[in-house]
Amino acid sequence: MYQLDVTLKNGSNLAARDRGGTSDPYVKFKIGGKEVFRSKTIHKNLNPVWDEKVCLFIDSIKEPLYVKVFDYDFGLQDDFMGSAFLDLTTVELNSSKDVALELRDPQHSDHKLGTIHLAVSLSIKDNVCIDSNTIIKKNWKRSSKFQTQSLKLSDLHRRSQVSRGIVSITLIEGQELKAMDANGLSDPYVKFRLGHQKYKSKTLPKTLNPQWREQIDMHIFEEQGGVIEITVWDKDAGKRDDFIGRCHVDLSTLSKEQTHKLKLKLEEGEGWLVLLVTLTASAAIAVSDTVGCLEDQNEREAIFRRYSLMRSLTNLDDVGFVQVKIVRAEGLMAADVTGKSDPFCVVEVNNDRLMTQTVYKNLNPEWNKVFSFNIKDIHSVLEVTVYDEDRDRSADFLGKVAVPLLSIQNGEQKAYVLKNKQLTGPTKGVIYLEVDVIFNAVKACLGSLVPKEQKYIEDEPRLSKQLLLRNFIRMKRCAMVLVNAAYYINSCFDWDSPQRSLAAFLIFLLVVWNFELYMIPLALLLLLAWNYFLIISGKDTRAHDTVVEDMLEDEEEEDDKDDKDCEKKGFMNKLYAIQEVCVSVQNVLDEVASIAERIKNTFNWTVPFLTWLAIIALCLLTAVLYFIPLRYIVLVWGINKFTKKIRNPYMIDNNEILDFLSRVPSDMQVVQFHELKPDARDSPSKRKKNNLG
């Protein structure tokens, strides 16, 4: 086994592929016909500087490193800009070599298309193990036999560090941006990139001085902090977005635990960006073998004191602590031709991801690995994914479980049936976890009313006929509740049932004559109490099992993009604009259906913690509306609303009700978090008895 370290430095005199006489180049590395690296895209530059490093593990140096350069075209087929081969047998072991590769077109080998500059070093590795503290970028690949989800091992190397801190960025505004549209204005949005973390701001239409007021958090993995790359774009529907300008923030130049207000001049364009940047040290993740910190009595008491009610108003972002022990798995899928697998686990809590060691040639692996996380949101979900490691190709997906932190029973070793990648149905195998969650209830309540942490590394949304139909059915189900309620009320007006209509008429007169505003939250409290009574009396009207059956649909997996796709994907690229609209409609249906389902699930006691929080809020609202005249409440609200930006010019607006509802699971999430019961017939012990019999 060889370790190949390649630094992609820069390109020079590259070929122009765009009408403006420039290109948007990016580079791909391939070994043995498989893509092992893709660089970032440098826009409008024929002499780009990448300065990107990649570490590759290869079995043989007889296969050359194939370097290909493309011009990125939004919504169109990327243009070929040249290729070159690097013979690895010419690289001396344990020494660094600077290489200049002349790019050529294989069909016109006499045409020079520029130069790519690399720094290459090669060394021998007897035993290769991937760091257990790894964050993973997912890469899906179709498997006709298992219909599994794949993960390239080269992607595992990209995230080999534990988070060293958090950088909080507040995007305030843009000033005097360049006009890109015919009306003399622009529709600007901003993209942030730190390592492999990406964020895209909202688009503000028709302005050269946009006011975003958005806040994001990104994890710092480099010791020196790294560099945040910022680009500003003009949104153009149906065609390629226009580049307005770029800037960057070198985090190594900023002091920690201090907020910096930065006014950054846009390069390669016009205008300014105004940001607030804060660096915060982090010790949110810990890894240990077999024994966790909660096993030590002194540390356990210190953690309980840290999250006691007496410290409810200190460090509100530090809500709690979770310790996860990955014990073992049983009856996993055989992914190798030998009838075995090489399983390892990936543990995720929001944007924190860690990985266990690999247990080779075993369908019943034992890891006994303990991970510890600090949590900022008690409504986070613990995700554990099992993969099969394949050294010479993509790792195969074996199964996954998702467990909301609030549903965890502390200190209990529990068996979870593994699910498919959509978390909608079972796959083969069971995983045993032991999880402890300690949190401060007051901080958890306050944290339920602030914006939810965004997951920065997720799959791009893709158009799916099944998902579109599912979201439509969900929306129809919610709409039918309102339609049926309207029919019921109309039947009272029509006196279809005289007794019911008379009762409704008397209630209407009584309520209208004696109506007070506090009766609205009081009625909601009565509805919550009624549903709680149905639950404890065994007459629960929630039909989660029916929802599970309705949503168990297999979705077709998407193929990985390869170079051959550049020649065959023209038809889909021509429909890119239509697909983008369809994806937007699909996501809107999902969002609307999710909000309606979250409201329903709040009253159905799906998450008792949140329902009790709603009861407390409704009780307070009832008391306030009962004892304080409405005019004073409206006056205080209006004064607060009008003076908020005066008191704090950088205040980020948020809606507490929507932030609260974002913590309530939708019906789809209820399905994903639903625990499957193990089939006793498939357990290893049962099979062993059958074999003996």
Side-chain angles (χ1 to χ4, degrees), residues 436-464:
D436 289 275
V437 179
I438 301 171
F439 66 97
N440 182 289
V442 175
K443 292 182 181 180
C445 293
L446 296 176
S448 302
L449 305 177
V450 300
K452 193 174 183 179
E453 181 180 359
Q454 179 181 353
K455 203 168 185 178
Y456 296 115
I457 306 173
E458 290 185 311
D459 306 309
E460 292 292 331
R462 301 197 179 196
L463 184 62
S464 167

Side-chain angles (χ1 to χ4, degrees), residues 531-544 604-605:
N531 282 338
Y532 182 70
F533 170 76
L534 292 178
I535 293 173
I536 62 176
S537 62
K539 300 177 181 179
D540 187 4
T541 58
R542 297 178 295 174
H544 291 330
N604 282 347
W605 293 82

Side-chain angles (χ1 to χ4, degrees), residues 51-330:
D51 196 23
E52 294 188 51
K53 298 179 181 180
V54 60
C55 175
L56 305 172
F57 296 99
I58 56 178
D59 291 324
S60 172
I61 59 175
K62 294 181 180 180
E63 290 284 354
L65 177 67
Y66 187 26
V67 180
K68 301 184 75 174
V69 184
F70 292 90
D71 168 55
Y72 174 76
D73 286 323
F74 181 81
L76 302 173
Q77 179 175 334
D78 293 348
D79 298 319
F80 179 70
M81 295 179 62
S83 63
F85 286 93
L86 173 62
D87 187 357
L88 298 181
T89 60
T90 63
V91 180
E92 295 183 6
L93 291 176
N94 302 318
S95 64
S96 181
K97 177 181 179 181
D98 291 330
V99 179
L101 299 178
E102 295 290 340
L103 297 176
R104 297 183 184 273
D105 188 340
Q107 298 180 356
H108 305 281
S109 58
D110 55 333
H111 293 171
K112 294 184 179 180
L113 300 177
T115 307
I116 292 294
H117 299 273
L118 309 175
V120 184
S121 65
L122 189 66
S123 59
I124 297 177
K125 294 292 181 183
D126 295 328
N127 296 304
V128 178
C129 63
I130 299 173
D131 196 315
S132 63
N133 307 328
T134 309
I135 300 180
I136 290 128
K137 179 178 181 181
K138 295 175 182 174
N139 189 4
W140 312 110
K141 184 177 181 181
R142 176 175 298 164
S143 170
S144 58
K145 182 176 181 181
F146 301 117
Q147 290 187 345
T148 57
Q149 171 183 346
S150 295
L151 180 68
K152 288 187 175 180
L153 287 180
S154 61
D155 290 334
L156 298 180
H157 296 279
R158 296 181 181 178
R159 306 180 190 154
S160 59
Q161 304 111 325
V162 175
S163 175
R164 298 177 181 273
I166 294 175
V167 54
S168 297
I169 307 167
T170 303
L171 174 60
I172 303 298
E173 62 184 357
Q175 299 176 358
E176 302 174 3
L177 300 183
K178 185 177 181 180
M180 306 302 293
D181 297 336
N183 58 7
L185 298 172
S186 293
D187 306 314
Y189 66 89
V190 181
K191 289 183 177 180
F192 294 86
R193 177 170 176 170
L194 177 60
H196 296 284
Q197 300 173 93
K198 298 178 182 179
Y199 176 82
K200 178 181 175 181
S201 75
K202 61 187 176 185
T203 302
L204 298 183
K206 297 180 175 57
T207 178
L208 299 181
N209 297 283
Q211 301 283 324
W212 282 286
R213 299 293 198 269
E214 293 187 48
Q215 195 272 335
I216 60 173
D217 291 336
M218 289 184 168
H219 290 260
I220 302 171
F221 297 101
E222 297 183 17
E223 186 172 354
Q224 300 301 322
V227 177
I228 302 175
E229 301 172 9
I230 306 171
T231 54
V232 186
W233 300 82
D234 168 57
K235 181 70 175 179
D236 286 324
K239 60 179 182 179
R240 179 177 175 179
D241 294 349
D242 297 320
F243 177 74
I244 296 179
R246 72 172 68 249
C247 57
H248 68 275
V249 178
D250 187 351
L251 299 180
S252 64
T253 63
L254 303 180
S255 57
K256 295 182 179 180
E257 310 298 341
Q258 181 180 346
T259 299
H260 305 266
K261 183 177 180 181
L262 306 178
K263 185 175 182 180
L264 305 174
K265 171 72 174 174
L266 293 181
E267 303 171 3
E268 304 175 29
E270 301 175 6
W272 306 77
L273 280 185
V274 181
L275 310 172
L276 296 180
V277 181
T278 306
L279 296 181
T280 305
S282 174
I285 304 175
V287 185
S288 62
D289 293 320
T290 308
V291 179
C293 60
L294 291 180
E295 304 298 327
D296 185 288
Q297 186 62 31
N298 293 331
E299 290 192 30
R300 186 180 185 90
E301 292 177 357
I303 291 174
F304 273 103
R305 287 195 302 270
R306 180 177 171 184
Y307 299 108
S308 66
L309 292 178
M310 299 298 294
R311 306 190 63 182
S312 297
L313 300 180
T314 61
N315 194 6
L316 295 180
D317 289 334
D318 186 14
V319 172
F321 172 88
V322 58
Q323 177 178 284
V324 185
K325 183 176 183 180
I326 311 296
V327 183
R328 67 184 189 278
E330 293 181 354

Side-chain angles (χ1 to χ4, degrees), residues 22-39:
T22 62
S23 294
D24 305 317
Y26 66 89
V27 180
K28 288 184 178 182
F29 292 165
K30 300 184 73 175
I31 295 180
K34 296 181 180 179
E35 181 182 325
V36 294
F37 171 76
R38 173 172 172 165
S39 74

